Amino acid sequence: MINILIVEDEQPISNLIRVNLTESGYSCDVADDGMQAADMIEQNRYDLILLDIMLPKVNGYELMEYIAPTGTPVIFITAKNDVADRVKGLHLGADDYIIKPFEIVELLARVEAVLRRYNKGESKITVGDVEIDTQSRCVRKNGRQVDLTMKEYELLLLFIRNKNIALFRETIFERVWQSDYLGDTRTVDLHVQRLRKKLGWEKMIVAVYKVGYRLEC
């Protein structure tokens, strides 16, 4: 299982991140300050660190200098949105930078992207009777292969990695089709309907009124 360290001194934010990452299948530890984080990094192996900058005792920039030699990927999470701050974090070795406040679906996408870059993503994902092999891009239901188009496959991964989260249609379109949403819901709705039918997930992928869809599991 992928192990992630969340270094954040604002408890409501760290709880929000931890709950959503846990629901997405990650194992999470939380540190409230830079000194505690340094101790945890020394004692444990992490696949990714989510790091706030404004921390008690040891700030994120100082902690980054301690993390860098370990080779552990880092995403800065901070309210500091000046270009100079972002450049400093990236120069210190951070892999990405996300500004508060943020949508949790964006954070999950960035986490997934960084882990994939380091080849640390899970190769097999199981939800109920459906198993996805992310290496071969093969999907099986009850052991039988399900033929999905490329977009249906990407849509399935998006739902699975955001279980129990209501996804706006525009978010779905932008994540799966990698282009700006222009207000036409037919493309998203058609692909969701086809995915539901192929997997028998008519009751699991539910429509959320005036929002979009949610995978309930």
Side-chain angles (χ1 to χ4, degrees), residues 68-86:
T70 70
T72 306
V74 173
I75 299 175
F76 270 127
I77 300 177
T78 179
K80 296 170 71 68
N81 60 0
D82 291 341
V83 172
D85 293 318
R86 295 199 296 271

Side-chain angles (χ1 to χ4, degrees), residues 32 45 60 143 164:
D32 299 322
R45 184 193 65 81
N164 301 310

Side-chain angles (χ1 to χ4, degrees), residues 91-117:
H91 278 170
L92 287 171
D95 294 87
D96 205 347
Y97 200 109
I98 188 167
I99 306 296
K100 301 175 186 176
F102 52 83
E103 294 290 339
I104 196 67
V105 65
E106 179 184 5
L107 174 64
L108 292 172
R110 289 175 181 260
V111 165
E112 176 191 337
V114 171
L115 290 172
R116 187 166 58 243
R117 197 180 308 152

Side-chain angles (χ1 to χ4, degrees), residues 125-132 139-142 156 199 201:
I125 303 171
T126 302
V127 177
D129 56 3
V130 172
E131 182 182 89
I132 302 98
V139 178
R140 288 184 171 84
K141 180 179 175 66
N142 291 321
L156 173 60
L199 296 179
W201 279 9

Side-chain angles (χ1 to χ4, degrees), residues 198-216:
K198 287 183 178 183
L199 296 179
W201 279 9
E202 288 85 352
K203 294 182 179 179
M204 290 180 64
I205 301 177
V206 300
V208 181
Y209 182 62
K210 289 187 177 181
V211 176
Y213 296 94
R214 179 178 63 241
L215 173 61
E216 295 185 346

Side-chain angles (χ1 to χ4, degrees), residues 182-214:
L182 300 177
D184 186 354
T185 67
R186 289 175 296 179
T187 297
V188 172
D189 293 340
L190 174 62
H191 281 76
V192 169
Q193 290 169 14
R194 289 178 60 83
L195 182 63
R196 280 170 163 168
K197 184 176 180 180
K198 287 183 178 183
L199 296 179
W201 279 9
E202 288 85 352
K203 294 182 179 179
M204 290 180 64
I205 301 177
V206 300
V208 181
Y209 182 62
K210 289 187 177 181
V211 176
Y213 296 94
R214 179 178 63 241

